[in-house]
């Protein structure tokens, strides 16, 4: 009985799988069809939703990647709503032609140096020989390395590199300017390393920096400004009355911080950052320091305040170390000091009559209506720093000041018969400006500021001004055996010196003034005061500087050959 009941029960279950059962019962067949269709729709809908979801996720991932790439391209430019980005500016064929002209000028300057003064510090074009103005450190050779590389002059760069590797020797019984040696030699070698990745440049930079370090061994940490490269004994120039010079003492921070980052040895950074810490303890309310500082007490001596000679680059480096440090909280005190100094600068600004040229006075108790051409770096500095103000109105104010000062500096050139600027200018009521010291030694400061203003505003006027200055150099300073300065910008009488900074700065800034913005972009590189670009790296004081004695190798920052006029492709 039990078995028959089980069999009959099983038959009862299986009948529902028999089609004949439903054919005899239409209502149940209809219910089954409805159930099947409903289940099918649910399953299909879930699969469709899953596919749509995956598709949407894929699209969102692509969009996120695209936005990340865009963010990487524009980076800090978005911080400033009033500073225009040049990413979308198309390459101008006129700019390309002008770049080529500047490149040809560099080839002429370099080939003249190579022919008549190879390995010496500077060329004397009129007598067709060389002179060791900096103790035989190959100043022009090292100053020109990065310019050659940026312009794509590979053969010339490689030949110079071989000289550095085989002939550059710093073991000299020579009392070197710590300032000039740092900005030209240390800066030039580090820039060549950052651009090419060739560690011979880093090794040489480390060698010369080690020879400079004893200069900081003072009671206060404010360095002496002259040091013997062989014996290490340091002192200050007698004409400074035993004091250290502001610019000479506060313009090593970029190079020595960069050296610590690239070698992993903190000693270089520690020396130079102590200088800023000491000065910041008693930094004046207006942020303006006299040009002489006592190296024992770190107290300023009563002397001139100026944005020209002996003061200039101290203020420049307050801003640039902040930029070089990725604008992080670690370097915020640099920015704070710089902003305080810029407020102080406003107290030195006057306008001439009748033409309302804006200029920066010097101060020695009272204001002196005199401005050095050296102070024409200030428009570029102000433009570079304008976007960092938390108040956009402040940024606009200082950008406007930068543009006004650039117009004055351009007129330093336009106001002379040769269209080249004198060394300094005096301003007199009712007669605008007049040349003071009338020589021109191929200085770069005005074209430097034009470069920054062009990159940061996209105003082509600055390119036109730069081109006019370049043509004036071509007309008045170019001779068969190189480039010379002028003893007098009024008469055009020539001197006998091709300054190394003409190749390092003047021609480089002119070249970059007409180059695509992907050549040394300002959000990835910082120029030292000798126009040597240093690559911005993530700043990590706790990690990078513990790797003592370990060389941090770099890949070349640019591929070897992209266009006939130079390298423009980023990594």
């Amino acid at each position: 009985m039990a078995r028959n009941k089980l069999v009959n029960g099983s038959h009862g279950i299986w009948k529902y799988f028999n089609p004949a059962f439903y054919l005899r019962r239409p209502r149940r067949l209809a219910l089954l069809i409805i159930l099947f269709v409903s289940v099918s729709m649910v399953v299909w809908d879930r699969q469709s939703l899953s596919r749509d979801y995956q598709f949407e996720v894929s699209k969102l991932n692509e969009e996120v990647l695209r936005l990340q790439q865009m963010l990487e391209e524009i980076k800090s430019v978005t911080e400033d709503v009033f500073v225009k980005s040049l990413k979308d500016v198309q390459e101008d064929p006129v700019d390309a032609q002008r770049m080529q002209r500047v490149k040809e000028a560099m080839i002429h300057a370099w080939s003249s140096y190579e022919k008549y003064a190879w390995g010496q510090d500077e060329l004397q074009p009129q007598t067709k020989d060389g002179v060791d103005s900096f103790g035989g450190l190959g100043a022009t050779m090292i100053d020109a390395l990065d310019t050659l590389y940026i312009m794509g002059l590979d053969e010339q760069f490689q030949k110079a590199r071989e000289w550095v590797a085989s002939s550059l020797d710093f073991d000299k019984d020579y009392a070197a300017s710590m300032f000039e040696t740092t900005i030209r030699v240390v800066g030039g070698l580090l820039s060549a390393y950052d651009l090419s990745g060739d560690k011979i440049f880093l090794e040489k930079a480390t060698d010369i920096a080690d020879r400079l370090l004893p200069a900081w061994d003072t009671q206060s940490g404010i360095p002496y400004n002259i040091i013997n490269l062989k014996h290490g004994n340091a002192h200050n120039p007698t004409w400074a009355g035993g004091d250290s010079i502001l610019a000479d003492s506060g313009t090593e921070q970029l190079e020595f911080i960069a050296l610590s980052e690239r070698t992993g040895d903190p000693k270089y950074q520690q020396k130079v950052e102590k200088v800023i810490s000491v000065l910041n303890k008693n930094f004046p309310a207006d942020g303006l320091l006299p040009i002489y500082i006592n190296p024992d007490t770190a107290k300023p001596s009563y002397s001139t305040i100026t944005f020209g000679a002996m003061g200039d680059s101290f203020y420049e480096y307050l801003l640039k170390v902040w930029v070089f440090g990725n604008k992080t909280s670690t370097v915020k005190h640099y920015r704070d000091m710089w902003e305080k100094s810029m407020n102080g600068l406003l107290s030195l600004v006057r306008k001439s009559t009748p033409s309302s040229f804006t200029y920066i006075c010097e101060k020695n108790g009272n204001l002196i209506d005199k401005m050095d051409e050296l102070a024409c770096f200030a428009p570029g500095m102000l433009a570079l720093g304008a976007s960092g103000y938390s108040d956009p109105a402040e940024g606009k104010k200082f950008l406007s000041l930068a543009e006004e000062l650039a117009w004055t500096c351009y007129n330093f050139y336009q106001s002379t018969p040769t269209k080249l600027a004198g060394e300094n200018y005096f301003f007199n009521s009712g007669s605008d400006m007049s040349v003071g010291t009338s020589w021109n030694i191929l200085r770069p400061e005005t074209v430097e500021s034009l470069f920054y203003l062009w990159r940061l505003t996209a105003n082509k006027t600055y390119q036109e001004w730069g081109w006019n200055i370049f043509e004036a150099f071509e007309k008045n300073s170019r001779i068969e055996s190189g480039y010379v300065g002028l003893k007098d910008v009024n008469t055009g009488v020539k001197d006998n010196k091709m300054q190394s900074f003409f190749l390092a700065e003047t021609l480089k800034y002119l070249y970059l003034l007409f180059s695509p913005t992907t050549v040394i972009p300002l959000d990835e590189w910082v120029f030292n005061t000798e126009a040597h670009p240093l690559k911005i790296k993530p700043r990590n004081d706790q990690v990078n500087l513990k790797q003592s004695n370990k060389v941090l190798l770099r890949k070349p920052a640019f591929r070897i050959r992209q266009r006939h006029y130079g390298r423009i492709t980023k990594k």
Side-chain angles (χ1 to χ4, degrees):
M1 288 292 293
R3 175 177 287 186
N4 288 339
K5 188 175 181 179
L6 180 61
V7 171
N8 289 339
S10 299
H11 182 268
I13 293 173
W14 285 104
K15 68 183 179 182
Y16 295 112
F17 294 93
N18 187 347
F21 175 81
Y22 295 100
L23 292 175
R24 294 193 297 269
R25 298 170 176 80
R27 291 177 63 186
R28 294 191 178 186
L29 177 61
L31 288 171
L32 180 64
I33 292 171
I34 291 171
L35 179 62
F36 174 78
V37 170
S38 298
V39 171
S40 298
M41 289 181 67
V42 169
V43 172
W44 178 85
D45 188 53
R46 290 180 65 84
Q47 291 177 338
S48 177
L49 285 172
S50 178
R51 285 194 300 269
D52 290 345
Y53 174 76
Q54 291 173 353
F55 178 71
E56 290 298 327
V57 168
S58 176
K59 286 180 63 178
L60 285 171
N61 285 336
E62 291 176 359
E63 184 67 10
V64 168
L65 181 61
R66 186 181 70 83
L67 290 172
Q68 286 175 336
Q69 291 172 339
M70 289 177 61
L71 184 62
E72 182 66 23
E73 290 176 0
I74 62 175
K75 282 187 175 177
S76 61
V77 177
T78 55
E79 296 175 5
D80 180 13
V81 295
F82 64 89
V83 173
K84 301 177 183 177
S85 169
L86 296 183
K87 296 293 183 183
D88 297 326
V89 176
Q90 298 298 311
E91 184 178 324
D92 187 329
V94 173
D95 289 348
Q97 292 173 4
R98 290 177 173 181
M99 284 178 68
Q100 187 61 32
R101 283 281 308 280
V102 178
K103 182 177 178 178
E104 289 169 356
M106 178 65 184
I107 292 171
H108 177 63
W110 177 259
S111 60
S112 298
Y113 169 76
E114 187 177 8
K115 183 175 182 179
Y116 299 114
W118 182 254
Q120 294 184 269
D121 286 329
E122 290 178 311
L123 167 66
Q124 297 185 131
Q126 300 225 58
T127 53
K128 297 182 179 180
D129 57 12
V131 59
D132 284 334
S133 319
F134 301 96
L137 303 181
T140 294
M141 187 86 67
I142 298 172
D143 250 351
L145 281 167
D146 52 10
T147 308
L148 295 171
Y149 194 95
I150 291 166
M151 291 186 181
L153 297 172
D154 300 320
E155 182 179 342
Q156 293 91 330
F157 176 82
Q158 288 301 327
K159 186 173 181 180
R161 185 263 177 209
E162 292 307 314
W163 183 88
V164 169
S166 62
S167 302
L168 181 58
D169 178 19
F170 298 127
D171 192 30
K172 298 179 182 295
D173 189 8
Y174 170 68
S177 162
M178 192 190 64
F179 168 76
E180 297 291 355
T181 306
T182 297
I183 66 172
R184 297 177 194 241
V185 182
V186 179
L189 290 168
L190 285 175
S191 182
Y193 171 65
D194 279 1
L195 287 163
S196 70
D198 191 333
K199 68 178 183 179
I200 186 63
F201 299 120
L202 183 59
E203 292 170 0
K204 293 291 186 178
T206 304
D207 181 5
I208 185 65
D210 285 338
R211 296 172 184 273
L212 297 177
L213 279 180
W216 279 271
D217 294 338
T218 65
Q219 292 183 33
S220 69
I222 301 295
Y224 293 122
N225 298 152
I226 296 175
I227 187 166
N228 186 287
L229 296 179
K230 188 178 185 71
H231 303 295
N233 50 306
H235 61 279
N236 279 330
T238 54
W239 53 263
D243 285 335
S244 297
I245 298 164
L246 177 63
D248 290 26
S249 304
T251 312
E252 292 81 25
Q253 283 68 28
L254 272 179
E255 295 84 356
F256 277 69
I257 292 171
L259 186 59
S260 279
E261 289 179 347
R262 284 142 184 78
T263 62
D265 191 334
K267 64 184 180 183
Y268 309 105
Q269 179 171 333
Q270 290 168 352
K271 290 286 190 183
V272 297
E273 294 216 302
K274 183 179 179 182
V275 174
I276 300 303
S277 296
V278 168
L279 292 177
N280 197 24
K281 287 179 181 178
N282 298 297
F283 205 52
D286 63 3
L288 302 178
L289 285 172
I291 58 175
Y292 294 132
I293 307 291
N294 187 301
D296 296 323
T297 65
K299 292 182 178 179
S301 301
Y302 182 80
S303 54
T304 302
I305 290 172
T306 179
F307 278 79
M310 299 192 288
D312 48 8
S313 50
F314 166 74
Y315 304 103
E316 175 189 358
Y317 271 34
L318 291 179
L319 173 67
K320 288 185 173 179
V321 172
W322 175 72
V323 176
F324 191 65
N326 283 284
K327 308 176 183 178
T328 61
S329 58
T330 306
V331 289
K332 186 178 182 297
H333 61 291
Y334 284 92
R335 174 78 196 195
D336 292 342
M337 292 173 71
W338 182 79
E339 288 191 9
K340 187 179 287 188
S341 297
M342 293 310 99
N343 287 331
L345 180 147
L346 294 176
S347 70
L348 305 179
V349 171
R350 284 182 171 176
K351 289 183 180 290
S352 73
T353 57
S355 302
S356 292
F357 289 118
T358 302
Y359 61 97
I360 304 172
C361 294
E362 295 182 351
K363 185 177 182 180
N364 197 339
N366 298 317
L367 293 185
I368 304 167
D369 294 295
K370 170 180 172 285
M371 181 175 172
D372 290 349
E373 197 280 337
L374 281 166
C376 285
F377 84 96
M381 174 190 66
L382 290 167
L384 182 64
S387 65
Y389 281 95
S390 56
D391 180 0
E394 280 292 286
K396 289 180 181 179
K397 178 178 73 176
F398 281 102
L399 182 62
S400 177
L401 176 60
E403 293 175 320
E404 293 176 15
L405 289 169
W407 170 239
T408 301
C409 291
Y410 177 59
N411 277 278
F412 285 173
Y413 285 78
Q414 291 299 296
S415 63
T416 71
T418 57
K419 305 301 180 185
L420 290 176
E423 183 72 358
N424 52 53
Y425 284 78
F426 289 91
F427 293 83
N428 302 295
S429 179
S431 59
D432 286 325
M433 65 180 72
S434 59
V435 177
T437 304
S438 61
W439 68 59
N440 178 289
I441 56 172
L442 309 171
R443 287 201 186 276
E445 286 75 22
T446 297
V447 293
E448 171 186 353
S449 285
L450 298 180
F451 158 72
Y452 279 108
L453 283 163
W454 156 241
R455 283 280 180 99
L456 296 168
T457 70
N459 187 340
K460 293 185 72 68
T461 297
Y462 300 117
Q463 289 183 306
E464 295 305 314
W465 293 356
W467 184 247
N468 291 339
I469 291 171
F470 173 73
E471 289 195 310
F473 279 128
E474 289 291 286
K475 180 179 179 180
N476 295 282
S477 295
R478 181 169 178 152
I479 63 174
E480 176 269 334
S481 51
Y483 286 84
V484 294
L486 302 183
K487 293 180 178 179
D488 189 335
V489 295
N490 296 308
T491 64
V493 175
K494 295 174 173 55
D495 68 17
N496 188 30
K497 177 74 71 72
M498 186 172 77
Q499 303 281 346
S500 77
F501 56 66
F502 181 67
L503 291 78
E505 301 185 73
T506 310
L507 291 179
K508 183 187 289 130
Y509 281 129
L510 283 166
Y511 182 81
L512 293 173
L513 182 61
F514 303 108
S515 70
T517 58
T518 47
V519 182
I520 316 295
L522 293 179
D523 56 353
E524 296 183 16
W525 299 83
V526 173
F527 291 91
N528 85 337
T529 198
E530 190 79 2
H532 295 307
L534 300 172
K535 184 73 171 174
I536 297 173
K537 296 161 61 76
R539 175 163 172 147
N540 189 331
D541 296 295
Q542 303 305 315
V543 177
N544 289 350
L545 299 184
K546 290 182 179 179
Q547 302 174 31
S548 182
N549 300 320
K550 179 180 178 182
V551 173
L552 305 179
L553 299 179
R554 292 186 53 81
K555 294 179 180 179
F558 294 92
R559 297 190 181 99
I560 289 301
R561 177 68 65 183
Q562 293 297 330
R563 300 193 184 184
H564 67 280
Y565 51 75
R567 300 173 170 83
I568 67 168
T569 300
K570 295 184 283 182
K571 290 190 295 183

